[in-house]
Amino acid sequence: MKISYLPAFALATLFFSPSCRKDALTDTANTAEAVSQRTGIAGNVAIRPATLTSSPLISTVYTYMPAPGQYTNESGLGSVTAAQALVGSTTNMVSLGGYGGYIVFGFDHSVVNGTGADLGIYGNPSGPTYQWSEPGIVMVSQDINANGIPDDPWYELAGSEYNAAGTIKNYQITYYNPHAAGTNVNWRDNQGNSGYVQANAFHTANNYYPAMAPNQDSVTFTGTKLVNTLVSGGILTNLAFAWGYTDSYSGEFPALGYNTVDISNVVNASGQPVTLNAIDFVKVYTGQNCNAGAMLGEISTEVKGARDLHL
């Protein structure tokens, strides 16, 4: 955490012209066949077309399930109300807590897999002199059963570290509720390690364990874990990765205010590429399990909103 500031998570086997052209926003222009003609990607699932009144920003937050963290349960950054405030906004913010904590959101239309980056996701990394990134991993899903809820298969967007040494696939961590405010939260993972999310003197009023977890004794998160990039000594630094992650001070962020991701980078649980013509749901989760000390607390991805880069 860099600022002095509902179901359990499960990892499933998970451009158009920049001008806003009217003919690119009509129902007929956004059928799977038309999308295939424009993008060269097979129209494998029907899409919800964008219209002239569609917003490029988040329209729905489906689930907010933070991992334990210093802002978890606090009304401003760690509550369901705070998560819902991301709808239509890029200035409000929510913390995802430690490793695995996540948010699921969507738009009022399907986000088409076009040429280049498809989504921009806002965070609050700092740099370049004082570098502080808290990388979030992005997953996407299509509404295959057309029921309007994110209960379909999830796919990871493979970033620059997906096949890097130190990246752990199918990482699993369980946090245990201390049932006390301002107290360390112990954890164990499936790599034989244990530790704790460290409480600090700035956040003592709340229990760091998520009150929205369905089980109030323990909660488990599963996904891909990125290698820690914390640099100690001198100015405390948590380095960014090259591309493909949120809340990361890398490449495009300083100019754009968001990190971009490309739907073309989707892979399934076996790491094999998958072709999606469009997506309906987005999941962002904290990708590092790292304690930055008593002053800064846990590495925890923050999300300030998202944008369909084709609108």
Side-chain angles (χ1 to χ4, degrees):
M1 177 65 63
K2 54 190 156 300
I3 45 182
S4 297
Y5 198 86
L6 271 144
F9 179 81
L11 178 65
T13 339
L14 190 60
F15 166 84
F16 303 126
S17 169
S19 60
C20 184
R21 292 172 44 209
K22 181 175 181 180
D23 63 349
L25 295 173
T26 62
D27 288 0
T28 56
N30 282 279
T31 62
E33 180 180 0
V35 169
S36 178
Q37 292 174 351
R38 290 200 300 271
T39 66
I41 295 173
N44 51 334
V45 173
I47 68 172
R48 295 174 298 130
T51 70
L52 292 176
T53 60
S54 292
S55 170
L57 306 180
I58 294 172
S59 67
T60 306
V61 172
Y62 296 95
T63 308
Y64 172 58
M65 178 55 63
Q70 61 189 302
Y71 288 101
T72 298
N73 302 321
E74 291 194 357
S75 60
L77 287 174
S79 67
V80 172
T81 299
Q84 291 295 336
L86 298 186
V87 172
S89 173
T90 62
T91 58
N92 297 316
M93 186 165 68
V94 70
S95 173
L96 304 185
Y99 175 83
Y102 68 96
I103 188 168
V104 178
F105 57 83
F107 302 82
D108 61 12
H109 59 281
S110 299
V111 178
V112 171
N113 183 0
T115 301
D118 303 299
L119 284 168
I121 301 178
Y122 296 80
N124 69 334
S126 61
T129 302
Y130 174 68
Q131 295 187 46
W132 193 261
S133 296
E134 298 178 287
I137 294 173
V138 182
M139 302 183 75
V140 295
S141 179
Q142 289 183 304
D143 190 12
I144 296 173
N145 57 17
N147 67 354
I149 59 175
D151 58 356
D152 310 271
W154 286 98
Y155 301 94
E156 184 170 339
L157 296 187
S160 60
E161 308 310 299
Y162 184 77
N163 291 312
T167 297
I168 301 175
K169 314 292 174 52
N170 299 312
Y171 179 78
Q172 188 173 89
I173 188 170
T174 299
Y175 300 95
Y176 300 92
N177 193 344
H179 296 286
T183 303
N184 296 344
V185 178
N186 292 325
W187 57 262
R188 292 183 180 276
D189 66 17
N190 62 350
Q191 307 297 304
N193 302 310
S194 62
Y196 53 87
V197 175
Q198 186 174 12
N200 63 47
F202 303 103
H203 302 272
T204 60
N206 293 328
N207 185 350
Y208 287 22
Y209 185 92
M212 59 285 286
N215 185 323
Q216 282 298 293
D217 290 321
S218 66
V219 61
T220 299
F221 298 89
T222 304
T224 296
K225 189 179 83 70
L226 305 172
V227 67
N228 291 342
T229 53
L230 187 68
V231 178
S232 58
I235 298 177
L236 194 60
T237 300
N238 204 60
L239 297 174
F241 295 118
W243 54 269
Y245 303 98
T246 73
D247 204 12
S248 181
Y249 198 87
S250 56
E252 71 278 344
F253 191 92
L256 301 177
Y258 52 74
N259 295 108
T260 63
V261 291
D262 188 345
I263 296 171
S264 297
N265 291 325
V266 291
V267 294
N268 62 22
S270 300
Q272 300 302 309
V274 175
T275 298
L276 302 179
N277 63 323
I279 59 94
D280 298 287
F281 311 112
V282 182
K283 176 185 292 181
V284 178
Y285 67 92
T286 300
Q288 293 179 319
N289 180 19
C290 182
N291 183 354
M295 177 70 71
L296 295 174
E298 76 289 341
I299 298 300
S300 53
T301 302
E302 274 81 60
V303 177
K304 297 179 68 177
R307 176 179 295 275
D308 177 352
L309 299 180
H310 300 315
L311 290 190

